[in-house]
Amino acid sequence: MTSNDNHSNGHKPSGAPKGPITDTTQKPLIKRFYKQATVGDGAFFQILLDGRVVKTPKKRALLLPTRPLAETIAAEWQAQGENIEPWTMPLTRFANTAIDAVSDAQEDVAGDIVAFATSDLLCYRSAEEEKLNAKQAAAWDPVLAWAEQALGAKFVVTKGVVPIEQPRIAVQRIAGALEPHEPFRLTGLHVITTLTGSAILAVAHARDAISADATWAAAHIDEDYQIAMWGPDEEAADRRRRRKFDFEAASRMLDMLKPTGAPGSVPKSAQ
Protein backbone atom coordinates (compact mmCIF):
# COMPACT_ATOMS: atom_id res chain seq x y z
CA MET A 1 0.00 0.00 0.00
CA THR A 2 0.97 3.63 -0.23
CA SER A 3 0.73 6.37 2.36
CA ASN A 4 -1.29 9.55 1.99
CA ASP A 5 0.16 13.07 2.12
CA ASN A 6 -3.04 14.78 1.07
CA HIS A 7 -5.24 15.50 4.07
CA SER A 8 -7.39 18.60 4.29
CA ASN A 9 -5.43 21.64 5.45
CA GLY A 10 -2.65 19.34 6.61
CA HIS A 11 -4.91 17.98 9.37
CA LYS A 12 -4.27 14.36 10.34
CA PRO A 13 -6.68 12.27 12.40
CA SER A 14 -5.50 11.70 15.95
CA GLY A 15 -4.99 8.01 16.43
CA ALA A 16 -4.73 7.41 12.69
CA PRO A 17 -2.01 5.07 11.45
CA LYS A 18 1.38 6.61 10.70
CA GLY A 19 1.28 4.76 7.40
CA PRO A 20 -0.49 1.85 5.78
CA ILE A 21 0.49 -1.76 6.02
CA THR A 22 3.08 -2.65 3.41
CA ASP A 23 4.15 -5.91 1.87
CA THR A 24 7.72 -7.12 1.40
CA THR A 25 8.09 -7.03 -2.38
CA GLN A 26 10.66 -4.20 -2.30
CA LYS A 27 13.65 -6.35 -3.19
CA PRO A 28 16.34 -6.18 -5.89
CA LEU A 29 14.93 -6.94 -9.33
CA ILE A 30 15.11 -10.56 -10.38
CA LYS A 31 15.22 -11.94 -13.89
CA ARG A 32 12.03 -13.31 -15.38
CA PHE A 33 12.22 -17.07 -14.92
CA TYR A 34 8.96 -18.22 -16.54
CA LYS A 35 7.25 -18.12 -19.91
CA GLN A 36 3.55 -18.24 -19.12
CA ALA A 37 1.41 -16.87 -16.27
CA THR A 38 -1.99 -18.53 -15.96
CA VAL A 39 -4.85 -18.98 -13.50
CA GLY A 40 -5.55 -22.35 -11.90
CA ASP A 41 -9.06 -23.44 -10.93
CA GLY A 42 -10.22 -24.44 -7.47
CA ALA A 43 -12.16 -23.14 -4.49
CA PHE A 44 -9.80 -20.15 -4.82
CA PHE A 45 -7.94 -19.13 -7.95
CA GLN A 46 -4.20 -19.73 -8.03
CA ILE A 47 -1.61 -17.84 -10.05
CA LEU A 48 0.61 -20.30 -11.89
CA LEU A 49 3.97 -19.60 -13.55
CA ASP A 50 4.64 -22.38 -16.04
CA GLY A 51 2.28 -24.49 -13.95
CA ARG A 52 3.90 -23.74 -10.60
CA VAL A 53 1.96 -21.97 -7.85
CA VAL A 54 3.13 -18.41 -7.08
CA LYS A 55 3.97 -17.84 -3.41
CA THR A 56 3.74 -14.66 -1.36
CA PRO A 57 6.81 -13.23 0.38
CA LYS A 58 5.78 -15.29 3.45
CA LYS A 59 5.68 -18.41 1.25
CA ARG A 60 1.90 -18.68 1.27
CA ALA A 61 0.08 -19.63 -1.91
CA LEU A 62 -1.12 -16.61 -3.88
CA LEU A 63 -4.82 -17.54 -3.83
CA LEU A 64 -7.38 -15.04 -5.12
CA PRO A 65 -11.08 -14.96 -4.21
CA THR A 66 -12.43 -14.13 -7.69
CA ARG A 67 -11.46 -15.08 -11.23
CA PRO A 68 -11.43 -11.49 -12.56
CA LEU A 69 -8.90 -10.49 -9.91
CA ALA A 70 -6.82 -13.61 -10.53
CA GLU A 71 -6.80 -13.04 -14.29
CA THR A 72 -5.75 -9.41 -13.85
CA ILE A 73 -2.91 -10.40 -11.53
CA ALA A 74 -1.82 -13.13 -13.95
CA ALA A 75 -1.76 -10.44 -16.64
CA GLU A 76 0.58 -8.36 -14.46
CA TRP A 77 3.01 -11.29 -14.33
CA GLN A 78 2.64 -11.98 -18.04
CA ALA A 79 3.38 -8.35 -18.88
CA GLN A 80 6.80 -8.40 -17.20
CA GLY A 81 9.84 -8.06 -19.40
CA GLU A 82 13.37 -9.27 -18.83
CA ASN A 83 13.16 -8.29 -15.15
CA ILE A 84 10.27 -8.55 -12.70
CA GLU A 85 9.42 -5.02 -11.55
CA PRO A 86 7.11 -5.12 -8.49
CA TRP A 87 6.13 -1.45 -8.76
CA THR A 88 4.38 -2.24 -12.06
CA MET A 89 2.33 -4.97 -10.33
CA PRO A 90 0.12 -3.14 -7.80
CA LEU A 91 -2.55 -5.83 -7.62
CA THR A 92 0.07 -8.48 -6.91
CA ARG A 93 1.46 -6.25 -4.16
CA PHE A 94 -2.00 -5.73 -2.67
CA ALA A 95 -2.76 -9.46 -2.84
CA ASN A 96 0.50 -10.20 -1.03
CA THR A 97 -0.48 -7.65 1.61
CA ALA A 98 -3.95 -9.12 2.00
CA ILE A 99 -2.63 -12.65 2.44
CA ASP A 100 0.55 -12.03 4.43
CA ALA A 101 -0.45 -9.06 6.61
CA VAL A 102 -4.14 -8.14 6.60
CA SER A 103 -5.42 -11.70 7.02
CA ASP A 104 -3.55 -11.85 10.34
CA ALA A 105 -4.62 -8.40 11.55
CA GLN A 106 -8.09 -7.69 10.20
CA GLU A 107 -9.37 -5.93 13.33
CA ASP A 108 -6.33 -3.68 13.44
CA VAL A 109 -6.62 -2.77 9.75
CA ALA A 110 -10.32 -2.01 10.13
CA GLY A 111 -9.43 0.11 13.16
CA ASP A 112 -6.93 2.07 11.07
CA ILE A 113 -9.65 2.88 8.55
CA VAL A 114 -12.14 3.88 11.24
CA ALA A 115 -9.51 6.17 12.82
CA PHE A 116 -9.67 8.36 9.72
CA ALA A 117 -13.44 8.72 10.17
CA THR A 118 -12.89 10.34 13.57
CA SER A 119 -11.22 13.27 11.80
CA ASP A 120 -12.14 12.83 8.17
CA LEU A 121 -10.93 14.96 5.27
CA LEU A 122 -14.51 15.82 4.29
CA CYS A 123 -15.27 17.42 7.65
CA TYR A 124 -12.58 20.13 7.64
CA ARG A 125 -13.21 23.15 5.42
CA SER A 126 -11.22 26.24 4.61
CA ALA A 127 -11.79 29.05 7.08
CA GLU A 128 -10.12 31.73 4.96
CA GLU A 129 -10.63 31.00 1.26
CA GLU A 130 -14.28 31.36 0.24
CA LYS A 131 -13.69 29.95 -3.24
CA LEU A 132 -11.95 26.89 -1.82
CA ASN A 133 -14.70 26.45 0.77
CA ALA A 134 -17.28 26.49 -2.02
CA LYS A 135 -15.36 23.88 -4.00
CA GLN A 136 -15.07 21.67 -0.93
CA ALA A 137 -18.78 21.96 -0.23
CA ALA A 138 -19.74 21.14 -3.81
CA ALA A 139 -17.60 17.99 -3.86
CA TRP A 140 -17.92 16.81 -0.28
CA ASP A 141 -21.44 17.67 0.88
CA PRO A 142 -23.14 15.17 -1.48
CA VAL A 143 -20.91 12.37 -0.16
CA LEU A 144 -21.68 13.31 3.44
CA ALA A 145 -25.38 13.37 2.53
CA TRP A 146 -25.02 9.87 1.08
CA ALA A 147 -23.32 8.64 4.27
CA GLU A 148 -26.19 10.00 6.34
CA GLN A 149 -28.86 8.57 4.06
CA ALA A 150 -27.31 5.18 3.27
CA LEU A 151 -25.42 4.45 6.48
CA GLY A 152 -27.13 6.59 9.09
CA ALA A 153 -23.77 8.31 9.66
CA LYS A 154 -24.22 12.06 10.18
CA PHE A 155 -20.87 13.82 10.48
CA VAL A 156 -20.16 17.31 11.82
CA VAL A 157 -18.42 19.80 9.53
CA THR A 158 -16.15 22.60 10.76
CA LYS A 159 -13.98 25.36 9.36
CA GLY A 160 -10.27 25.29 10.12
CA VAL A 161 -8.00 22.55 11.40
CA VAL A 162 -8.89 22.43 15.10
CA PRO A 163 -9.98 18.82 15.77
CA ILE A 164 -13.63 18.26 16.59
CA GLU A 165 -15.23 15.18 18.05
CA GLN A 166 -17.53 13.31 15.70
CA PRO A 167 -20.73 11.64 16.90
CA ARG A 168 -19.93 8.16 18.14
CA ILE A 169 -22.80 6.66 16.15
CA ALA A 170 -21.43 8.11 12.88
CA VAL A 171 -18.03 6.53 13.47
CA GLN A 172 -19.67 3.26 14.47
CA ARG A 173 -21.66 3.22 11.23
CA ILE A 174 -18.45 3.55 9.23
CA ALA A 175 -17.02 0.67 11.24
CA GLY A 176 -20.13 -1.36 10.50
CA ALA A 177 -19.80 -0.64 6.78
CA LEU A 178 -16.45 -2.48 6.83
CA GLU A 179 -18.06 -5.71 7.99
CA PRO A 180 -17.91 -8.57 7.41
CA HIS A 181 -14.15 -8.21 7.45
CA GLU A 182 -12.41 -9.79 4.48
CA PRO A 183 -8.66 -9.37 3.86
CA PHE A 184 -8.78 -8.34 0.19
CA ARG A 185 -11.61 -5.86 0.65
CA LEU A 186 -9.99 -4.36 3.76
CA THR A 187 -6.74 -4.03 1.84
CA GLY A 188 -8.41 -2.08 -0.96
CA LEU A 189 -10.31 0.12 1.48
CA HIS A 190 -7.17 0.78 3.49
CA VAL A 191 -5.24 1.84 0.39
CA ILE A 192 -7.98 4.23 -0.72
CA THR A 193 -8.47 5.63 2.78
CA THR A 194 -4.79 6.41 3.26
CA LEU A 195 -4.40 7.83 -0.24
CA THR A 196 -7.43 10.14 0.08
CA GLY A 197 -7.39 10.90 3.81
CA SER A 198 -11.05 9.93 3.98
CA ALA A 199 -12.72 6.78 5.24
CA ILE A 200 -16.05 8.22 4.13
CA LEU A 201 -14.87 8.56 0.54
CA ALA A 202 -13.41 5.05 0.61
CA VAL A 203 -16.64 3.47 1.84
CA ALA A 204 -18.78 5.51 -0.57
CA HIS A 205 -16.60 4.48 -3.49
CA ALA A 206 -16.57 0.83 -2.44
CA ARG A 207 -20.37 0.93 -2.47
CA ASP A 208 -20.49 2.51 -5.94
CA ALA A 209 -21.93 5.74 -4.59
CA ILE A 210 -19.16 7.81 -6.18
CA SER A 211 -16.95 7.01 -9.15
CA ALA A 212 -13.20 6.50 -9.00
CA ASP A 213 -12.54 9.72 -10.89
CA ALA A 214 -14.86 11.71 -8.63
CA THR A 215 -13.32 10.14 -5.52
CA TRP A 216 -9.81 11.09 -6.61
CA ALA A 217 -10.89 14.60 -7.56
CA ALA A 218 -12.71 15.10 -4.26
CA ALA A 219 -9.61 14.05 -2.33
CA HIS A 220 -7.51 16.62 -4.16
CA ILE A 221 -9.73 19.72 -3.98
CA ASP A 222 -7.23 21.50 -1.73
CA GLU A 223 -4.18 20.45 -3.72
CA ASP A 224 -5.73 21.41 -7.05
CA TYR A 225 -6.73 24.79 -5.63
CA GLN A 226 -3.14 25.44 -4.55
CA ILE A 227 -1.84 24.35 -7.96
CA ALA A 228 -4.24 26.77 -9.65
CA MET A 229 -3.00 29.55 -7.37
CA TRP A 230 0.76 28.91 -7.40
CA GLY A 231 1.44 26.50 -10.25
CA PRO A 232 2.54 22.85 -10.22
CA ASP A 233 5.55 21.39 -8.45
CA GLU A 234 7.33 18.68 -10.41
CA GLU A 235 8.29 16.56 -7.41
CA ALA A 236 4.79 16.77 -5.94
CA ALA A 237 3.29 15.92 -9.33
CA ASP A 238 5.44 12.80 -9.54
CA ARG A 239 4.32 11.69 -6.05
CA ARG A 240 0.72 12.30 -7.07
CA ARG A 241 1.09 10.16 -10.21
CA ARG A 242 2.45 7.29 -8.14
CA ARG A 243 -0.37 7.63 -5.60
CA LYS A 244 -2.97 7.70 -8.35
CA PHE A 245 -1.50 4.56 -9.92
CA ASP A 246 -2.04 2.68 -6.65
CA PHE A 247 -5.42 4.32 -6.08
CA GLU A 248 -6.71 3.17 -9.45
CA ALA A 249 -5.42 -0.35 -8.82
CA ALA A 250 -7.14 -0.49 -5.41
CA SER A 251 -10.35 0.74 -7.00
CA ARG A 252 -10.16 -1.97 -9.65
CA MET A 253 -9.50 -4.59 -6.99
CA LEU A 254 -12.58 -3.61 -5.01
CA ASP A 255 -14.64 -3.78 -8.18
CA MET A 256 -13.31 -7.22 -9.08
CA LEU A 257 -14.20 -8.53 -5.62
CA LYS A 258 -17.90 -7.79 -6.16
CA PRO A 259 -20.08 -10.67 -7.36
CA THR A 260 -22.51 -8.15 -8.86
CA GLY A 261 -22.67 -4.38 -9.05
CA ALA A 262 -24.75 -2.62 -6.44
CA PRO A 263 -24.82 1.07 -7.37
CA GLY A 264 -25.53 3.46 -4.55
CA SER A 265 -27.55 6.65 -4.69
CA VAL A 266 -25.62 9.88 -4.39
CA PRO A 267 -26.54 13.22 -5.93
CA LYS A 268 -25.24 13.71 -9.45
CA SER A 269 -22.89 16.45 -8.31
CA ALA A 270 -20.74 13.75 -6.67
CA GLN A 271 -20.60 11.50 -9.75
Side-chain angles (χ1 to χ4, degrees):
M1 301 186 195
T2 307
S3 62
N4 170 56
D5 57 6
N6 180 61
H7 198 276
S8 176
N9 299 312
H11 184 66
K12 293 284 186 179
S14 58
K18 294 180 180 178
I21 294 174
T22 58
D23 59 63
T24 55
T25 56
Q26 299 303 315
K27 299 178 180 179
L29 297 182
I30 61 175
K31 297 288 186 180
R32 178 168 176 161
F33 56 89
Y34 57 91
K35 292 183 179 180
Q36 193 71 27
T38 58
V39 176
D41 290 320
F44 288 84
F45 301 97
Q46 298 180 328
I47 304 301
L48 307 175
L49 302 180
D50 294 340
R52 295 184 179 182
V53 176
V54 175
K55 297 294 184 68
T56 69
K58 286 190 176 181
K59 307 304 180 184
R60 300 172 180 177
L62 187 61
L63 303 176
L64 291 312
T66 68
R67 176 170 284 280
L69 179 58
E71 289 177 343
T72 305
I73 289 177
E76 287 185 341
W77 286 88
Q78 191 62 32
Q80 296 303 298
E82 181 180 352
N83 294 317
I84 297 174
E85 301 179 335
W87 74 271
T88 67
M89 307 167 71
L91 291 170
T92 300
R93 289 188 280 113
F94 297 159
N96 285 338
T97 299
I99 295 168
D100 282 352
V102 179
S103 65
D104 296 332
Q106 294 183 56
E107 296 301 319
D108 290 340
V109 175
D112 279 354
I113 297 169
V114 174
F116 276 86
T118 65
S119 189
D120 201 273
L121 167 75
L122 305 193
C123 298
Y124 292 83
R125 311 294 174 85
S126 174
E128 300 175 354
E129 299 284 346
E130 291 186 8
K131 289 183 178 180
L132 175 57
N133 190 284
K135 289 177 179 292
Q136 292 168 334
W140 298 349
D141 286 354
V143 183
L144 290 174
W146 172 85
E148 182 177 1
Q149 179 181 6
L151 305 178
K154 182 175 177 59
F155 285 86
V156 178
V157 174
T158 188
K159 290 184 178 182
V161 298
V162 177
I164 58 171
E165 184 175 355
Q166 292 295 341
R168 181 179 300 179
I169 186 64
V171 177
Q172 289 175 341
R173 293 297 171 84
I174 293 295
L178 305 180
E179 297 176 350
H181 293 167
E182 191 281 321
F184 284 86
R185 184 169 179 271
L186 282 176
T187 298
L189 285 166
H190 195 279
V191 171
I192 292 174
T193 299
T194 57
L195 287 174
T196 63
S198 173
I200 303 170
L201 274 176
V203 170
H205 177 53
R207 294 200 173 196
D208 295 324
I210 181 170
S211 70
D213 287 345
T215 299
W216 183 257
H220 291 79
I221 293 290
D222 294 15
E223 185 176 320
D224 287 341
Y225 183 82
Q226 295 301 323
I227 291 172
M229 291 283 290
W230 307 107
D233 175 85
E234 185 175 344
E235 184 176 343
D238 185 58
R239 289 197 304 270
R240 178 163 168 168
R241 283 191 293 269
R242 293 196 302 269
R243 294 199 314 269
K244 188 175 184 182
F245 181 71
D246 277 358
F247 168 86
E248 290 175 339
S251 174
R252 294 197 309 273
M253 183 170 78
L254 288 175
D255 190 56
M256 288 183 285
L257 292 173
K258 300 170 186 174
T260 57
S265 55
V266 73
K268 288 183 178 180
S269 58
Q271 295 295 329

